[in-house]
Short mmCIF file of all heavy atoms in Angstrom, two decimals:
data_model
loop_
_atom_site.label_atom_id
_atom_site.label_comp_id
_atom_site.label_asym_id
_atom_site.label_seq_id
_atom_site.Cartn_x
_atom_site.Cartn_y
_atom_site.Cartn_z
N PRO A 670 18.60 -17.76 -24.69
CA PRO A 670 18.15 -18.24 -23.37
C PRO A 670 16.73 -18.14 -23.22
O PRO A 670 15.93 -17.38 -23.91
CB PRO A 670 18.91 -17.19 -22.45
CG PRO A 670 19.10 -16.00 -23.32
CD PRO A 670 19.31 -16.48 -24.81
N PHE A 671 16.19 -19.04 -22.35
CA PHE A 671 14.70 -19.04 -22.11
C PHE A 671 14.56 -19.26 -20.58
O PHE A 671 15.39 -19.82 -20.00
CB PHE A 671 14.03 -20.06 -22.96
CG PHE A 671 14.19 -21.51 -22.48
CD1 PHE A 671 13.22 -22.13 -21.66
CD2 PHE A 671 15.40 -22.12 -22.88
CE1 PHE A 671 13.46 -23.41 -21.26
CE2 PHE A 671 15.57 -23.52 -22.45
CZ PHE A 671 14.63 -24.15 -21.59
N ARG A 672 13.31 -18.99 -20.09
CA ARG A 672 13.00 -19.24 -18.67
C ARG A 672 12.55 -20.68 -18.62
O ARG A 672 11.52 -21.05 -19.18
CB ARG A 672 11.91 -18.25 -18.21
CG ARG A 672 12.52 -16.91 -17.84
CD ARG A 672 11.49 -15.93 -17.28
NE ARG A 672 10.68 -16.53 -16.25
CZ ARG A 672 9.77 -15.82 -15.54
NH1 ARG A 672 9.61 -14.55 -15.82
NH2 ARG A 672 9.12 -16.43 -14.57
N ASN A 673 13.23 -21.50 -17.82
CA ASN A 673 12.87 -22.85 -17.67
C ASN A 673 11.66 -22.96 -16.67
O ASN A 673 11.84 -22.54 -15.52
CB ASN A 673 14.09 -23.59 -17.08
CG ASN A 673 13.90 -25.12 -17.03
OD1 ASN A 673 12.83 -25.56 -16.53
ND2 ASN A 673 14.83 -25.85 -17.43
N PRO A 674 10.56 -23.40 -17.14
CA PRO A 674 9.33 -23.48 -16.25
C PRO A 674 9.51 -24.19 -14.93
O PRO A 674 9.10 -23.80 -13.88
CB PRO A 674 8.17 -24.05 -17.18
CG PRO A 674 8.69 -23.88 -18.55
CD PRO A 674 10.21 -24.00 -18.47
N LEU A 675 10.21 -25.36 -14.99
CA LEU A 675 10.37 -26.08 -13.83
C LEU A 675 11.43 -25.37 -12.85
O LEU A 675 11.16 -25.39 -11.65
CB LEU A 675 11.03 -27.51 -14.10
CG LEU A 675 11.12 -28.47 -12.97
CD1 LEU A 675 9.66 -28.78 -12.33
CD2 LEU A 675 11.78 -29.72 -13.29
N ALA A 676 12.37 -24.76 -13.37
CA ALA A 676 13.27 -23.93 -12.53
C ALA A 676 12.48 -22.80 -11.87
O ALA A 676 12.66 -22.47 -10.62
CB ALA A 676 14.43 -23.43 -13.39
N ASP A 677 11.58 -22.22 -12.62
CA ASP A 677 10.77 -21.09 -12.05
C ASP A 677 9.89 -21.58 -10.93
O ASP A 677 9.81 -20.85 -9.87
CB ASP A 677 9.91 -20.48 -13.12
CG ASP A 677 10.62 -19.64 -14.14
OD1 ASP A 677 11.79 -19.26 -13.87
OD2 ASP A 677 10.08 -19.41 -15.27
N VAL A 678 9.31 -22.82 -11.01
CA VAL A 678 8.49 -23.32 -10.02
C VAL A 678 9.29 -23.62 -8.73
O VAL A 678 8.94 -23.35 -7.65
CB VAL A 678 7.73 -24.62 -10.51
CG1 VAL A 678 7.14 -25.33 -9.37
CG2 VAL A 678 6.65 -24.19 -11.48
N ASN A 679 10.53 -24.21 -8.99
CA ASN A 679 11.31 -24.76 -7.86
C ASN A 679 12.12 -23.63 -7.17
O ASN A 679 12.49 -23.67 -6.02
CB ASN A 679 12.13 -25.84 -8.25
CG ASN A 679 11.31 -27.07 -8.60
OD1 ASN A 679 10.23 -27.19 -8.17
ND2 ASN A 679 11.90 -27.94 -9.50
N GLU A 680 12.63 -22.68 -7.97
CA GLU A 680 13.65 -21.77 -7.53
C GLU A 680 13.26 -20.26 -7.37
O GLU A 680 14.04 -19.52 -6.79
CB GLU A 680 14.97 -21.91 -8.46
CG GLU A 680 15.39 -23.30 -8.74
CD GLU A 680 15.75 -24.07 -7.51
OE1 GLU A 680 16.09 -23.45 -6.47
OE2 GLU A 680 15.77 -25.35 -7.55
N ARG A 681 12.16 -19.96 -7.80
CA ARG A 681 11.72 -18.58 -7.71
C ARG A 681 10.79 -18.56 -6.42
O ARG A 681 9.88 -19.39 -6.29
CB ARG A 681 10.94 -18.14 -8.96
CG ARG A 681 11.71 -17.72 -10.09
CD ARG A 681 10.91 -17.26 -11.32
NE ARG A 681 11.76 -17.01 -12.45
CZ ARG A 681 12.25 -15.86 -12.74
NH1 ARG A 681 11.88 -14.73 -12.03
NH2 ARG A 681 13.00 -15.68 -13.77
N ILE A 682 10.90 -17.46 -5.71
CA ILE A 682 10.01 -17.13 -4.58
C ILE A 682 9.21 -15.91 -4.92
O ILE A 682 9.80 -14.85 -5.26
CB ILE A 682 10.79 -16.94 -3.26
CG1 ILE A 682 11.50 -18.19 -2.91
CG2 ILE A 682 9.88 -16.56 -2.16
CD1 ILE A 682 12.43 -18.09 -1.62
N ASP A 683 7.91 -16.04 -4.89
CA ASP A 683 7.08 -14.81 -5.22
C ASP A 683 5.68 -15.09 -4.50
O ASP A 683 4.93 -15.78 -5.04
CB ASP A 683 6.88 -14.70 -6.65
CG ASP A 683 6.27 -13.34 -7.12
OD1 ASP A 683 5.69 -12.73 -6.18
OD2 ASP A 683 6.15 -12.95 -8.29
N HIS A 684 5.47 -14.48 -3.41
CA HIS A 684 4.18 -14.62 -2.72
C HIS A 684 3.79 -13.30 -2.08
O HIS A 684 4.71 -12.39 -1.84
CB HIS A 684 4.24 -15.66 -1.63
CG HIS A 684 5.30 -15.53 -0.59
ND1 HIS A 684 6.48 -16.25 -0.48
CD2 HIS A 684 5.40 -14.63 0.42
CE1 HIS A 684 7.16 -15.89 0.52
NE2 HIS A 684 6.59 -14.85 1.11
N THR A 685 2.63 -13.08 -1.83
CA THR A 685 1.98 -11.93 -1.27
C THR A 685 1.28 -12.19 0.01
O THR A 685 0.43 -13.17 0.06
CB THR A 685 0.99 -11.15 -2.30
OG1 THR A 685 1.72 -10.90 -3.49
CG2 THR A 685 0.53 -9.93 -1.70
N LEU A 686 1.63 -11.49 1.13
CA LEU A 686 0.99 -11.71 2.40
C LEU A 686 0.04 -10.47 2.65
O LEU A 686 0.49 -9.26 2.51
CB LEU A 686 2.04 -11.74 3.53
CG LEU A 686 3.14 -12.73 3.31
CD1 LEU A 686 4.16 -12.70 4.41
CD2 LEU A 686 2.55 -14.17 3.35
N THR A 687 -1.12 -10.72 2.89
CA THR A 687 -2.17 -9.65 3.05
C THR A 687 -2.98 -9.86 4.38
O THR A 687 -3.45 -11.00 4.64
CB THR A 687 -3.16 -9.60 1.85
OG1 THR A 687 -2.38 -9.50 0.67
CG2 THR A 687 -4.12 -8.46 2.02
N THR A 688 -3.11 -8.71 5.18
CA THR A 688 -4.03 -8.79 6.30
C THR A 688 -4.91 -7.62 6.24
O THR A 688 -4.45 -6.52 6.07
CB THR A 688 -3.18 -8.68 7.60
OG1 THR A 688 -2.25 -9.76 7.71
CG2 THR A 688 -4.11 -8.75 8.84
N ASN A 689 -6.22 -7.87 6.34
CA ASN A 689 -7.22 -6.87 6.25
C ASN A 689 -8.08 -6.86 7.50
O ASN A 689 -8.47 -7.92 7.96
CB ASN A 689 -8.22 -7.09 5.11
CG ASN A 689 -7.44 -7.08 3.73
OD1 ASN A 689 -7.26 -8.10 3.14
ND2 ASN A 689 -7.09 -5.94 3.26
N LEU A 690 -8.33 -5.68 8.06
CA LEU A 690 -9.26 -5.52 9.11
C LEU A 690 -10.27 -4.45 8.82
O LEU A 690 -9.98 -3.30 8.45
CB LEU A 690 -8.47 -5.10 10.45
CG LEU A 690 -9.35 -4.77 11.64
CD1 LEU A 690 -10.14 -5.92 12.08
CD2 LEU A 690 -8.50 -4.16 12.78
N LEU A 691 -11.51 -4.84 8.93
CA LEU A 691 -12.57 -3.88 8.73
C LEU A 691 -13.60 -3.97 9.92
O LEU A 691 -14.13 -5.09 10.15
CB LEU A 691 -13.38 -4.10 7.43
CG LEU A 691 -14.57 -3.21 7.01
CD1 LEU A 691 -13.97 -1.81 6.85
CD2 LEU A 691 -15.24 -3.64 5.75
N THR A 692 -13.73 -3.00 10.74
CA THR A 692 -14.53 -3.02 11.94
C THR A 692 -15.23 -1.69 12.12
O THR A 692 -14.65 -0.66 11.70
CB THR A 692 -13.69 -3.37 13.14
OG1 THR A 692 -14.53 -3.46 14.29
CG2 THR A 692 -12.57 -2.34 13.42
N ASN A 693 -16.35 -1.71 12.77
CA ASN A 693 -17.03 -0.48 13.17
C ASN A 693 -17.91 -0.76 14.43
O ASN A 693 -18.29 -1.93 14.66
CB ASN A 693 -17.90 0.03 12.06
CG ASN A 693 -19.03 -0.88 11.70
OD1 ASN A 693 -20.05 -0.87 12.38
ND2 ASN A 693 -18.98 -1.57 10.62
N ALA A 694 -18.03 0.25 15.17
CA ALA A 694 -18.90 0.18 16.47
C ALA A 694 -19.90 1.35 16.37
O ALA A 694 -19.63 2.44 15.83
CB ALA A 694 -18.00 0.29 17.66
N PHE A 695 -21.05 1.14 16.99
CA PHE A 695 -22.09 2.17 17.07
C PHE A 695 -22.62 2.30 18.46
O PHE A 695 -22.61 1.37 19.27
CB PHE A 695 -23.22 1.83 16.09
CG PHE A 695 -24.09 0.74 16.53
CD1 PHE A 695 -25.25 1.08 17.23
CD2 PHE A 695 -23.89 -0.55 16.18
CE1 PHE A 695 -26.19 0.09 17.62
CE2 PHE A 695 -24.73 -1.53 16.65
CZ PHE A 695 -25.82 -1.23 17.38
N LEU A 696 -23.13 3.44 18.69
CA LEU A 696 -23.86 3.81 19.96
C LEU A 696 -25.13 4.53 19.62
O LEU A 696 -25.05 5.64 18.87
CB LEU A 696 -22.97 4.64 20.86
CG LEU A 696 -23.70 5.05 22.19
CD1 LEU A 696 -24.02 3.82 23.09
CD2 LEU A 696 -22.77 6.06 22.98
N GLU A 697 -26.28 4.07 20.07
CA GLU A 697 -27.54 4.70 19.74
C GLU A 697 -28.23 5.12 20.93
O GLU A 697 -28.46 4.27 21.87
CB GLU A 697 -28.37 3.70 18.83
CG GLU A 697 -29.59 4.35 18.27
CD GLU A 697 -30.30 3.45 17.20
OE1 GLU A 697 -29.75 3.23 16.12
OE2 GLU A 697 -31.42 2.95 17.61
N TYR A 698 -28.77 6.34 21.05
CA TYR A 698 -29.42 6.79 22.31
C TYR A 698 -30.70 7.51 21.90
O TYR A 698 -30.68 8.44 21.16
CB TYR A 698 -28.46 7.78 22.98
CG TYR A 698 -29.00 8.42 24.23
CD1 TYR A 698 -29.59 7.68 25.16
CD2 TYR A 698 -28.99 9.84 24.32
CE1 TYR A 698 -30.09 8.21 26.30
CE2 TYR A 698 -29.56 10.47 25.54
CZ TYR A 698 -30.13 9.72 26.54
OH TYR A 698 -30.62 10.28 27.57
N ASP A 699 -31.77 6.92 22.53
CA ASP A 699 -33.10 7.61 22.30
C ASP A 699 -33.24 8.70 23.32
O ASP A 699 -33.52 8.39 24.54
CB ASP A 699 -34.22 6.54 22.48
CG ASP A 699 -34.18 5.47 21.38
OD1 ASP A 699 -33.75 5.83 20.25
OD2 ASP A 699 -34.55 4.37 21.56
N ILE A 700 -33.09 9.94 22.90
CA ILE A 700 -33.07 11.08 23.86
C ILE A 700 -34.55 11.17 24.42
O ILE A 700 -34.71 11.21 25.58
CB ILE A 700 -32.64 12.38 23.15
CG1 ILE A 700 -31.25 12.14 22.54
CG2 ILE A 700 -32.68 13.49 24.07
CD1 ILE A 700 -30.81 13.32 21.69
N ILE A 701 -35.49 11.35 23.57
CA ILE A 701 -36.89 11.47 23.86
C ILE A 701 -37.63 10.65 22.82
O ILE A 701 -37.09 10.25 21.79
CB ILE A 701 -37.44 12.88 23.88
CG1 ILE A 701 -37.24 13.57 22.57
CG2 ILE A 701 -36.80 13.72 25.10
CD1 ILE A 701 -37.83 14.89 22.49
N PRO A 702 -38.91 10.23 23.04
CA PRO A 702 -39.61 9.47 22.01
C PRO A 702 -39.57 10.25 20.65
O PRO A 702 -39.88 11.41 20.55
CB PRO A 702 -41.02 9.42 22.59
CG PRO A 702 -40.80 9.47 24.02
CD PRO A 702 -39.70 10.38 24.24
N GLY A 703 -39.09 9.55 19.70
CA GLY A 703 -38.95 10.18 18.29
C GLY A 703 -37.65 10.81 18.03
O GLY A 703 -37.45 11.19 16.83
N LEU A 704 -36.83 11.08 18.96
CA LEU A 704 -35.58 11.80 18.76
C LEU A 704 -34.39 10.82 19.17
O LEU A 704 -34.29 10.43 20.31
CB LEU A 704 -35.47 13.09 19.56
CG LEU A 704 -34.25 13.95 19.40
CD1 LEU A 704 -34.21 14.42 17.88
CD2 LEU A 704 -34.20 15.11 20.37
N THR A 705 -33.56 10.40 18.14
CA THR A 705 -32.56 9.46 18.37
C THR A 705 -31.16 10.03 17.96
O THR A 705 -31.04 10.60 16.77
CB THR A 705 -32.86 8.16 17.52
OG1 THR A 705 -34.13 7.66 17.97
CG2 THR A 705 -31.77 7.09 17.76
N LEU A 706 -30.23 9.78 18.74
CA LEU A 706 -28.82 10.17 18.42
C LEU A 706 -27.99 8.89 18.12
O LEU A 706 -28.08 7.95 18.93
CB LEU A 706 -28.19 10.93 19.53
CG LEU A 706 -26.69 11.26 19.40
CD1 LEU A 706 -26.50 12.29 18.27
CD2 LEU A 706 -26.18 11.82 20.70
N ARG A 707 -27.29 8.85 16.99
CA ARG A 707 -26.50 7.64 16.66
C ARG A 707 -25.15 8.06 16.22
O ARG A 707 -24.97 9.04 15.36
CB ARG A 707 -27.24 6.90 15.48
CG ARG A 707 -26.40 5.62 15.08
CD ARG A 707 -27.08 4.96 13.91
NE ARG A 707 -26.40 3.79 13.46
CZ ARG A 707 -26.60 2.53 13.95
NH1 ARG A 707 -27.50 2.31 14.83
NH2 ARG A 707 -25.90 1.51 13.38
N SER A 708 -24.13 7.37 16.82
CA SER A 708 -22.73 7.69 16.48
C SER A 708 -22.05 6.40 16.14
O SER A 708 -22.13 5.39 16.79
CB SER A 708 -22.03 8.35 17.70
OG SER A 708 -20.66 8.63 17.37
N THR A 709 -21.25 6.38 15.01
CA THR A 709 -20.52 5.28 14.61
C THR A 709 -19.13 5.65 14.32
O THR A 709 -18.84 6.71 13.84
CB THR A 709 -21.15 4.55 13.36
OG1 THR A 709 -21.01 5.50 12.18
CG2 THR A 709 -22.57 4.22 13.57
N ILE A 710 -18.26 4.73 14.50
CA ILE A 710 -16.81 4.93 14.13
C ILE A 710 -16.31 3.59 13.53
O ILE A 710 -16.60 2.45 14.03
CB ILE A 710 -15.89 5.26 15.35
CG1 ILE A 710 -14.46 5.48 14.91
CG2 ILE A 710 -15.93 4.22 16.43
CD1 ILE A 710 -13.61 6.28 15.88
N GLY A 711 -15.67 3.71 12.38
CA GLY A 711 -15.20 2.58 11.67
C GLY A 711 -13.73 2.68 11.37
O GLY A 711 -13.10 3.73 11.16
N LEU A 712 -13.10 1.53 11.28
CA LEU A 712 -11.64 1.43 11.05
C LEU A 712 -11.41 0.41 9.98
O LEU A 712 -11.89 -0.74 10.09
CB LEU A 712 -10.83 1.14 12.29
CG LEU A 712 -9.35 0.80 12.08
CD1 LEU A 712 -8.70 2.13 11.71
CD2 LEU A 712 -8.76 0.32 13.45
N GLY A 713 -10.62 0.79 8.95
CA GLY A 713 -10.24 -0.19 7.91
C GLY A 713 -8.71 -0.15 7.77
O GLY A 713 -8.10 0.87 7.64
N LEU A 714 -8.10 -1.34 7.93
CA LEU A 714 -6.59 -1.51 7.79
C LEU A 714 -6.32 -2.44 6.67
O LEU A 714 -7.00 -3.57 6.65
CB LEU A 714 -6.04 -1.96 9.15
CG LEU A 714 -6.22 -1.05 10.33
CD1 LEU A 714 -5.63 -1.68 11.58
CD2 LEU A 714 -5.52 0.31 10.24
N ASP A 715 -5.33 -2.20 5.91
CA ASP A 715 -4.90 -3.10 4.82
C ASP A 715 -3.44 -3.10 4.79
O ASP A 715 -2.73 -2.09 4.55
CB ASP A 715 -5.48 -2.54 3.58
CG ASP A 715 -5.12 -3.51 2.32
OD1 ASP A 715 -5.42 -4.73 2.39
OD2 ASP A 715 -4.45 -3.06 1.40
N PHE A 716 -2.84 -4.30 5.11
CA PHE A 716 -1.36 -4.47 5.10
C PHE A 716 -1.06 -5.55 4.02
O PHE A 716 -1.62 -6.67 4.05
CB PHE A 716 -0.90 -4.95 6.48
CG PHE A 716 -1.17 -4.03 7.61
CD1 PHE A 716 -2.27 -4.26 8.43
CD2 PHE A 716 -0.37 -2.97 7.82
CE1 PHE A 716 -2.52 -3.36 9.49
CE2 PHE A 716 -0.60 -2.02 8.83
CZ PHE A 716 -1.76 -2.25 9.73
N ARG A 717 -0.15 -5.15 3.08
CA ARG A 717 0.29 -6.04 2.08
C ARG A 717 1.80 -6.03 1.93
O ARG A 717 2.44 -5.03 2.01
CB ARG A 717 -0.33 -5.61 0.69
CG ARG A 717 -1.88 -5.68 0.68
CD ARG A 717 -2.45 -5.44 -0.64
NE ARG A 717 -3.87 -5.33 -0.65
CZ ARG A 717 -4.64 -5.18 -1.71
NH1 ARG A 717 -4.09 -5.16 -2.92
NH2 ARG A 717 -5.96 -5.10 -1.62
#
């Protein structure tokens, strides 16, 4: 027996669905001249 290439193309189902989200937000506050506070939060999601 052998794998028929045309049958593989027509009759096999094999696919991958992928959703990626990469996001981040920041807040920067100048408390006094020369003194800065910065906060960031980032989120990464990967669904396959």
Side-chain angles (χ1 to χ4, degrees):
F671 76 97
R672 280 181 53 173
N673 187 313
L675 187 62
D677 286 340
V678 166
N679 294 335
E680 311 301 336
R681 285 181 182 267
I682 298 176
D683 189 351
H684 59 250
T685 303
L686 306 174
T687 304
T688 301
N689 300 106
L690 172 65
L691 183 62
T692 182
N693 66 78
F695 76 90
L696 177 66
E697 192 172 289
Y698 176 52
D699 295 329
I700 304 173
I701 59 174
L704 186 63
T705 302
L706 176 66
R707 182 181 176 91
S708 180
T709 65
I710 184 167
L712 173 65
L714 299 176
D715 181 60
F716 300 98
R717 300 186 185 186

